[in-house]
Every structure is written in C-alpha cells, then in structure tokens.
Amino acid sequence: DKEADKTLYGTLNNVFKHKDFKSKLQKEATRCILNGSKDVFVSMPTGAGKSLCYQLPAVASDGVSVVISPLLALMQDQLDHLKAIKIPSATINSKLTEKERKQVLADLNSSNPNTKLLYVTPEQVATDGFKSLADSLMKRKLFKYLIVDEAHCVSQWGHDFRPDYLKLGCFRKRIPGVPCIALTATATEQVLKDIIKQLKLKEPIAKFKTSCFRPNLYYDVRMKETLGDPYKDLSEFCLEALNRSQAQKEELLENWSKYGCGIVYCRTRDACAEVASQLTRKGVLSKPYHAGLKSGIREEVQNDWMEGKFPVIAATISFGMGVDKPNVRFVAHWTLPKSMAGYYQESGRAGRDGNQSYCRLYYSRQERDTISFLINKELKKFTRDKEQQKIKLQSANKNFDAMIEYCEYAICRHWAISKYFGDVKPDCNNSCDACKTPKMLAKTIEDLQRGAYA
Ligand code: ADP
Ligand code: MG
Ligand code: ZN
C-alpha cells in the first residue's frame, strides 16, 4: 500500500542514505517486518543486507527493538554503523561501565525513550535485570520487535551452536504479541526447523529466503574407483571446462587468463602436490596451495592464480575464503567434503560471473570410510565434554551422510542441494549428470553397488 511504501522509501533514502533496496527480497522482507503482523524468517547470504530488513522497520516504528547477537564484536560493528547514520542505539553487556549502563537504562526507563535498537547477547537476555527491563517496556507498550540475528546459533545442527540461544524461546513468553524476526545466512532445512521450534515462531511465518539454485553450474559426480586413470579424467574435465580441446592446449599455455581458471579441492597437502604435478604433466598448468607452504610462497601462488598467470590451483579448503573471482570456470573436489553445506559453498565459487561453469566431485568409498573415521577422531580430540561430544558427533555424521547420499543416489544434483536447504525443486534443465545422462549414471552406481571395481 502507498502509505507503507512512502515510509519504506523515505526511511531508506533519508535515514539509511541508500537509493534503492539491494534486492527484491530485501525490500519484501523489510516491508513485511514493517507491517508487523507476523513472525518473520529471513535467510540471505552474507553481505546481502539482512540488517536493514529489521533496522529500517525499527527506526520507522514507535518503541524499542531488541536485537540478539552472539558476539560483542558483531554488535559493536552494527552500533558504530548506526551511530554514523545517527540512529539512536545502545547495548547492555558485561563490558559496560556502571555509568554507561545507568545511562542506557535511564533512557529506556524514561517515558519516551530515544533508543530505537538495543543490542544484547543471549546471556544478557537471561539475566533478572534484563527480564525486568523487558517487563517494563511491555507494560508501557514500547517493546516493538524481538530480533534474533545469526539465528542458526539456536540449532544443534548448525555449525555455531550456542546453548544460550535456547533460552530465547522461554523469554518469548514474557513478551506475548511482540513479533519475532529471525535472520541467518546458513539455514538448511534441519536448521530452519530448529529455529522455528526453539524460538517458538508463530505460524503463519513469513519466510524470505534466497534460492540456492545456481542454473549456470553443471554438477556431476565421478566414481573414482570406476575410472581407469582418475587424473586423466580430471585433466580432461579441466580442459573442457576451460572450453579448450586437447589440440588447443598450447594456445592455452600462452593465454590462460582469457579462458578463466579453476580450483581443485584436495583433503591433504600431499594430495594437493600430487594433483598439481599430475595436471601439469598432462598439460594443464597447476600449482598446489596449502597451509604447509611458506607464507610468502602461499601468497604468491594465490596472487598469481588471481591474476591469471596459471589456471588451476590445487588447494585444501583453507583456500577460497574471501576469494571472489568472477571467472572460475570449474571447481573439482578430488575428495568427498564433510558436509553438503561445505560442498555447496566451495563449489559455489564457480561461475560467479553467471557464465556456464562446472562442478565435479570425485567419490570413492574408501575415502568415505577414511573421512568418516577422521570426523569421529577429530571430534573426540577437540570436544572433551561427553554430552557435547555426542551431540556434535550426531550432527557431523548426519551432515556427512547427506553428502554420501548425494554421491550414491541418482537424483538430480540441483534438487538434492535444494532439498538440503529446504528449497523447492528447481528447474535443472539438464544441468547435472542425473538429468542429462541418467542411463550412464545408473550404470555406474550399479557397478559401484556390486563392488565391481573394488
Ligand atoms: P548481512 O547481515 O546480510 O551479511 P549487512 O546487513 O551487514 O549484511 O549488509 C552488508 C552491506 O550492505 C552493508 O555495508 C550495508 O550497509 C549494505 N547495504 C544494505 N542494504 C543496502 C542497500 N539497500 N543499498 C546499498 N547498500 C546496502
Ligand atoms: Mg548480518
Ligand atoms: Zn538435474
């Protein structure tokens, strides 16, 4: 409606100084939250602008909104940003001096508080002091929104489980009628279910979720054990993805950057070195990248690859954080990732420019068993507490099982990924081996089941 749109754009332009919304989804989520009649779930990737979705409605409404954030550092970032654009905001946390705390509380307890956004940790929410503040805001009808940022922390299936987030469900009983807004960048189906249950989100929940479907990525799986020479398969895959025939290899050598580049993810340092040397020998220039390299060399390898001086980097998963190269034509996994979430993120580094790109996973049952063993071993080493250990182990194994299923079943790869993230079935349009070459895949899986290559 017109009036709401005026508020929406007025606040966006004048307070936040943005010309327009970053995306349709950001606009729709913001509009829905401003409307204030439902609990809202927002899942968008990092950097998509989730904060605005709740900050704008909080600023444009009467009352005070409470934002739960897991880390003081994240909170401080937000507060600095809000201060810079002159939005009255505050935090109550254990680091405040007595004087600062009194100042914040004095404003919140005044008849017409200035504060629009109050940032607190979940631990803070559980204190008696905070509970009585919440009661007082409720009594004066000043509690506008309860906002839970990084909401995946509420889930044991997430990778950042924070037990204190579980207390938020109970806290909600104190503030009936206050809409709850949950935001996260990483919601699998399982995590979403947990968020709804633990935060007691009220149906019908308004959900705003970026689709995880990437139509320009072709996904397939190769069974390592069924390949005579897996390195040959890999090198041919690289050349095809770079759109070159064998005959054009020479030309490629002189002019890599024109055709883009690729990443081969390996589990160990040795595997990185071996893959790089095998590919190079087969005419696809490649260098290893891993934590075992001297830091000067490691940076050089990364920079040279970024600048297109050589096309293929054989790296451990430590590579790629913050690498946002548009013309990555392929991502191959030389070994099985530990989770679908990880696989999706790593393979998703291909095709950022929207052009056709390829994601191939090399699967072997022997590696499956090795990794399964390592997952258990690592967890026992790093988590002492037996109860925590059990929970984390269940979660890790479940995540890994999903990854194995992805490899061993012949269902559309894009659909499998979408299912995992709770999205609807996308229109794959033959962008995966299960859809494009179903017979061939069925045969390979059959062979694998029969152990024909063991
Ligand atoms: P997220 O929490 O989703 O990771 P943030 O809320 O931190 O993302 O926002 C990421 C960046 O995008 C911030 O610098 C923010 O100022 C900017 N941003 C958000 N919305 C808009 C917009 N409509 N136009 C331009 N920049 C925006
Ligand atoms: Mg954020
Ligand atoms: Zn498909």
Side-chain angles (χ1 to χ4, degrees):
D1 93 279
K2 283 243 170 62
E3 203 51 40
D5 256 30
K6 233 168 97 185
T7 310
L8 215 54
Y9 277 98
T11 316
L12 183 74
N13 301 150
N14 303 326
V15 181
F16 289 89
K17 313 274 189 243
H18 295 314
K19 276 209 196 71
D20 205 344
F21 287 94
K22 255 191 163 172
S23 63
K24 189 158 170 260
L25 205 64
Q26 190 192 39
K27 178 178 169 183
E28 295 307 319
T30 310
R31 192 212 299 268
C32 175
I33 294 171
L34 182 63
N35 182 283
S37 59
K38 285 179 187 164
D39 283 349
V40 181
F41 170 79
V42 180
S43 170
M44 300 197 285
T46 303
K50 289 185 287 298
S51 316
L52 185 93
C53 298
Y54 65 80
Q55 286 171 349
L56 192 156
V59 170
S61 311
D62 293 332
V64 180
S65 295
V66 171
V67 186
I68 318 290
S69 178
L71 297 170
L72 293 179
L74 284 179
M75 234 178 249
Q76 203 50 53
D77 271 0
Q78 295 287 333
L79 288 166
D80 291 346
H81 179 238
L82 290 168
K83 196 164 283 169
I85 54 175
K86 302 197 168 56
I87 296 173
S89 46
T91 170
I92 302 178
N93 66 58
S94 54
K95 294 263 162 64
L96 291 192
T97 64
E98 197 45 40
K99 193 174 157 221
E100 288 168 326
R101 174 189 295 269
K102 279 204 175 121
Q103 245 168 24
V104 172
L105 286 173
D107 179 61
L108 291 169
N109 285 317
S110 69
S111 59
N112 193 6
N114 271 318
T115 308
K116 299 308 300 176
L117 289 143
L118 176 67
Y119 282 77
V120 290
T121 58
E123 290 84 348
Q124 187 64 39
V125 174
T127 63
D128 288 338
F130 189 84
K131 283 179 194 157
S132 64
L133 172 64
D135 292 347
S136 151
L137 287 170
M138 279 306 281
K139 220 179 289 157
R140 294 178 287 144
K141 298 197 166 32
L142 287 172
F143 203 128
K144 183 62 195 174
Y145 298 105
L146 177 70
I147 296 142
V148 185
D149 204 2
E150 314 291 343
H152 57 274
C153 293
V154 84
S155 172
Q156 299 186 353
W157 305 114
H159 47 90
D160 280 326
F161 176 53
R162 293 276 302 254
D164 279 301
Y165 264 69
L166 294 176
K167 296 177 188 154
L168 295 174
C170 188
F171 176 74
R172 279 205 79 188
K173 288 196 206 117
R174 301 188 94 83
I175 53 166
V178 173
C180 180
I181 318 297
L183 309 101
T184 176
T186 49
T188 63
E189 175 84 68
Q190 184 70 242
V191 170
L192 170 59
K193 272 191 198 147
D194 264 2
I195 290 173
I196 291 172
K197 186 171 140 214
Q198 299 297 351
L199 296 181
K200 304 198 163 56
L201 298 187
K202 227 176 43 233
E203 296 286 357
I205 302 157
K207 295 184 190 126
F208 299 88
K209 195 167 183 304
T210 310
S211 160
C212 66
F213 178 46
R214 302 269 310 273
N216 64 317
L217 301 185
Y218 184 92
Y219 276 92
D220 66 7
V221 176
R222 282 285 193 269
M223 310 297 174
K224 245 185 191 170
E225 279 127 4
T226 71
L227 300 169
D229 178 1
Y231 291 109
K232 182 160 170 274
D233 189 88
L234 179 64
S235 70
E236 283 166 2
F237 169 71
C238 296
L239 285 171
E240 267 165 47
L242 296 173
N243 215 355
R244 299 291 90 190
S245 68
Q246 287 288 337
Q248 292 166 308
K249 269 197 299 206
E250 313 305 317
E251 176 203 349
L252 195 54
L253 270 176
E254 287 155 26
N255 220 341
W256 288 115
S257 57
K258 222 165 101 185
Y259 304 104
C261 56
I263 306 171
V264 182
Y265 279 113
C266 309
R267 193 171 57 77
T268 63
R269 297 169 185 187
D270 287 349
C272 293
E274 180 66 15
V275 164
S277 113
Q278 291 268 5
L279 284 180
T280 301
R281 207 175 313 156
K282 288 179 170 23
V284 184
L285 194 58
S286 170
K287 289 185 183 175
Y289 175 99
H290 52 74
L293 301 174
K294 284 213 190 77
S295 78
I297 294 181
R298 208 167 63 216
E299 275 150 30
E300 193 184 300
V301 171
Q302 170 159 348
N303 288 337
D304 285 356
W305 180 80
M306 291 293 287
E307 287 165 18
K309 288 187 184 156
F310 70 95
V312 181
I313 193 158
T316 53
I317 54 169
S318 63
F319 178 78
M321 308 274 182
V323 169
D324 199 3
K325 202 167 173 354
N327 65 341
V328 177
R329 293 280 69 88
F330 69 86
V331 172
H333 278 71
W334 193 237
T335 192
L336 193 58
K338 284 181 187 157
S339 72
M340 282 287 282
Y343 182 55
Y344 177 73
Q345 193 174 49
E346 286 146 27
S347 60
R349 295 194 174 116
R352 289 266 164 87
D353 57 7
N355 293 335
Q356 181 65 58
S357 305
Y358 300 84
C359 304
R360 176 167 292 178
L361 197 164
Y362 288 90
Y363 176 70
S364 108
R365 282 190 172 171
Q366 196 191 324
E367 274 163 16
R368 172 197 67 186
D369 297 340
T370 308
I371 295 165
S372 181
F373 173 78
L374 288 173
I375 288 173
N376 285 274
K377 198 174 116 182
E378 273 168 24
L379 252 162
K380 292 207 170 111
K381 192 163 133 202
F382 292 118
T383 312
R384 290 275 155 73
D385 181 89
K386 280 272 182 281
E387 197 51 34
Q388 281 282 314
Q389 208 180 73
K390 213 176 93 189
I391 292 168
K392 284 191 179 171
L393 209 58
Q394 266 178 5
S395 161
N397 284 328
K398 203 166 161 140
N399 283 326
F400 189 52
D401 287 347
M403 198 65 247
I404 297 168
E405 268 180 42
Y406 173 88
C407 298
E408 295 213 356
Y409 290 92
I411 83 159
C412 171
R413 312 291 179 189
H414 285 287
W415 190 18
I417 294 170
S418 295
K419 257 192 190 159
Y420 184 77
F421 288 105
D423 282 7
V424 294
K425 184 177 180 179
D427 180 12
C428 172
N429 194 22
N430 283 340
S431 284
C432 83
D433 53 351
C435 295
K436 196 172 181 199
T437 52
K439 279 187 191 142
M440 209 171 85
L441 180 64
K443 167 97 177 48
T444 321
I445 289 178
E446 200 180 291
D447 288 346
L448 184 83
Q449 307 291 16
R450 274 192 299 129
Y453 299 89

